[in-house]
Amino acid sequence: MTSATSRLKVGVDVPWVTSWSDEPLGPIGPCASVDGQLAASQAEKPGQGRPLYSQNHLFRQRRTVREMLCPMCGKPTSEGDRWCQTATWTTAGDLRARGFGPALPATLADDRSLLNCGAIAPLHHACASAALTRCPHLGGMADKTLKRFPRAWVIIPLWIEAKRPTGGSLPAVSFLQLVGVEP
């Protein structure tokens, strides 16, 4: 059963990256968003049903990170207009200690400052500012400072264990984590 099209506008009232109730999870399979690697899939019906705020759509999330698309409006961001709302400053050593070492370049010193964006790609400044005023979750954050995204970054795949019907499992990408590298 398909729900009615929402009156809420995708990319304006609801972030482009948000999942909708009519977008169920799908099978594990090769995915273009991660160069054909195995990845979790999800139906594509933005605007159908009700928005599932704080639940990123798997494919659209991976596209935002890989293509530097604004999670709010879905349009490309330019190098001078990339801003992070929920990112936190950390170091390469901290990320290595948390198990992300294999995804980081070995040349990054442990004390190198990094902007850990998690699964949220940078937004346009205008989109980030609007989201801060409209979103109760963002409005409730202690740190509301928009952080300029660095010119260099590392993408870290976040893996899930996909069970095979015949037994055993395979690793599959769920989301992509984004880490900005300070010069």
Side-chain angles (χ1 to χ4, degrees):
M1 181 176 148
T2 300
S3 302
T5 300
S6 175
R7 290 181 302 209
L8 298 172
K9 188 169 179 183
V10 174
V12 177
D13 303 313
V14 179
W16 179 79
V17 75
T18 296
S19 288
W20 289 76
S21 59
D22 281 9
E23 295 182 311
L25 296 177
I28 301 296
C31 184
S33 70
V34 286
D35 299 329
Q37 294 182 65
L38 289 181
S41 70
Q42 188 170 359
E44 283 274 344
K45 294 184 182 178
Q48 294 292 308
R50 69 184 193 295
L52 303 175
Y53 294 106
S54 299
Q55 291 184 30
N56 286 338
H57 185 276
L58 293 166
F59 185 75
R60 291 192 296 270
Q61 186 277 337
R62 294 190 296 256
R63 282 195 61 208
T64 64
V65 171
R66 291 286 303 270
E67 299 174 36
M68 283 293 155
L69 302 177
C70 176
M72 183 62 204
C73 70
K75 294 183 174 92
T77 58
S78 64
E79 187 175 299
D81 190 19
R82 292 183 179 145
W83 298 85
C84 300
Q85 299 167 303
T86 58
T88 57
W89 289 105
T90 188
T91 63
D94 178 58
L95 288 180
R96 287 187 178 106
R98 293 175 29 207
F100 295 115
L104 296 177
T107 56
L108 284 180
D110 281 346
D111 63 351
R112 184 73 172 267
S113 183
L114 303 174
L115 185 62
N116 185 5
C117 299
I120 309 297
L123 295 87
H124 299 108
H125 192 275
C127 291
S129 296
L132 280 172
T133 62
R134 294 181 192 156
C135 176
H137 169 73
L138 295 174
M141 293 183 335
D143 179 8
K144 294 181 186 70
T145 306
L146 293 178
K147 298 159 191 81
R148 186 178 291 277
F149 188 71
R151 290 183 176 177
W153 59 86
V154 175
I155 297 173
I156 302 172
L158 301 177
W159 300 92
I160 58 171
E161 186 177 326
K163 302 286 184 187
R164 291 178 175 213
T166 57
S169 62
L170 289 169
V173 177
S174 59
F175 291 110
L176 296 176
Q177 179 166 332
L178 183 63
V179 178
V181 180
E182 276 292 287

